[in-house]
């Protein structure tokens, strides 16, 4: 019994360090992920601060692959092709860069709904493109049934 406790005492610190290192790596990967950046955008929108929302949007776009390689608001709007999204982002930009008394106010709820919808659509579109690429690599089109000398390949 004493020997088992000694062995456990000797192994326990190594196991705890390994578990802690694995948790740390997992947490750091999450903090660099697109999902974390989008949750930060949601959190900023809940507070209703236009400046925080805009910078959270920019941070999220840096990690959002379907907008690559530019990762800008303009590229996001161009890829999304959504007039309501353009209006909501434009309202935030007007609030920050050209505030006027008669301008329409931006709504965090509407902005998140539009950005979330565009995110879903773009991710779905990117997944379909990836699936198509995988199928093309699996069954390449245009392979010749003749050899380089012009003769038919032998049946095997």
């Amino acid at each position: 019994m004493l020997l088992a406790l000694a062995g456990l005492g000797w192994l326990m610190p190594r196991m705890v360090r390994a578990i802690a290192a694995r948790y740390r790596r997992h947490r750091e990967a999450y903090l660099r992920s697109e999902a974390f950046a989008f949750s930060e955008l949601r959190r900023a929108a809940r507070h209703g601060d236009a400046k925080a929302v805009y910078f959270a949007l920019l941070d999220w776009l840096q990690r959002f692959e379907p907008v690559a390689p530019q990762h800008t608001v303009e590229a996001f709007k161009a890829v999304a092709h959504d007039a309501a999204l353009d209006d909501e982002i434009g309202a935030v930009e007007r609030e920050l860069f050209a505030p006027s008394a008669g301008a329409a106010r931006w709504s965090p709820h509407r902005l998140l709904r539009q950005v979330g919808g565009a995110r879903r659509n773009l991710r779905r579109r990117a997944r379909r493109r990836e699936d198509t690429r995988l199928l093309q690599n699996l069954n390449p089109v245009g392979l010749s049934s003749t050899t380089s000398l012009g003769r038919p390949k032998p049946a095997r």
Side-chain angles (χ1 to χ4, degrees):
M1 179 76 137
L2 191 57
L3 191 59
L5 284 175
L8 190 61
W10 183 68
L11 287 176
M12 192 60 106
R14 289 182 184 185
M15 290 176 22
V16 168
R17 278 195 302 271
I19 291 169
R22 184 174 179 190
Y23 173 76
R24 222 178 359 266
R25 283 191 307 270
H26 183 266
R27 180 74 180 156
E28 288 169 0
Y30 175 68
L31 292 176
R32 289 187 308 268
S33 73
E34 181 267 342
F36 174 74
F38 194 74
S39 70
E40 289 296 301
L41 174 61
R42 275 196 221 118
R43 189 170 58 81
R46 276 194 301 269
H47 293 292
D49 179 20
K51 182 179 176 183
V53 168
Y54 193 75
F55 281 109
L57 178 67
L58 292 176
D59 186 43
W60 170 68
L61 286 173
Q62 292 300 312
R63 300 169 196 197
F64 190 54
E65 283 303 313
V67 184
Q70 289 107 0
H71 298 288
T72 62
V73 173
E74 294 305 319
F76 178 55
K77 291 192 305 189
V79 171
H81 302 295
D82 185 359
L85 175 69
D86 294 350
D87 292 342
E88 287 303 317
I89 292 175
V92 173
E93 289 173 338
R94 278 190 303 279
E95 173 93 16
L96 290 173
F97 306 119
S100 63
R105 298 266 311 151
W106 72 285
S107 166
H109 179 71
R110 281 194 314 256
L111 177 73
L112 278 181
R113 189 176 58 226
Q114 295 304 322
V115 170
R119 176 185 183 225
R120 267 189 310 280
N121 291 339
L122 291 174
R123 288 172 77 184
R124 198 175 304 136
R125 220 182 299 164
R127 211 171 314 137
R128 271 192 239 125
R129 252 182 279 143
E130 184 64 30
D131 291 348
T132 304
R133 257 184 271 150
L134 289 173
L135 290 175
Q136 286 174 348
N137 290 338
L138 184 63
N139 298 317
V141 177
L143 287 180
S144 175
S145 62
T146 60
T147 63
S148 59
L149 301 174
R151 288 181 266 163
K153 291 182 180 179
R156 294 181 194 236

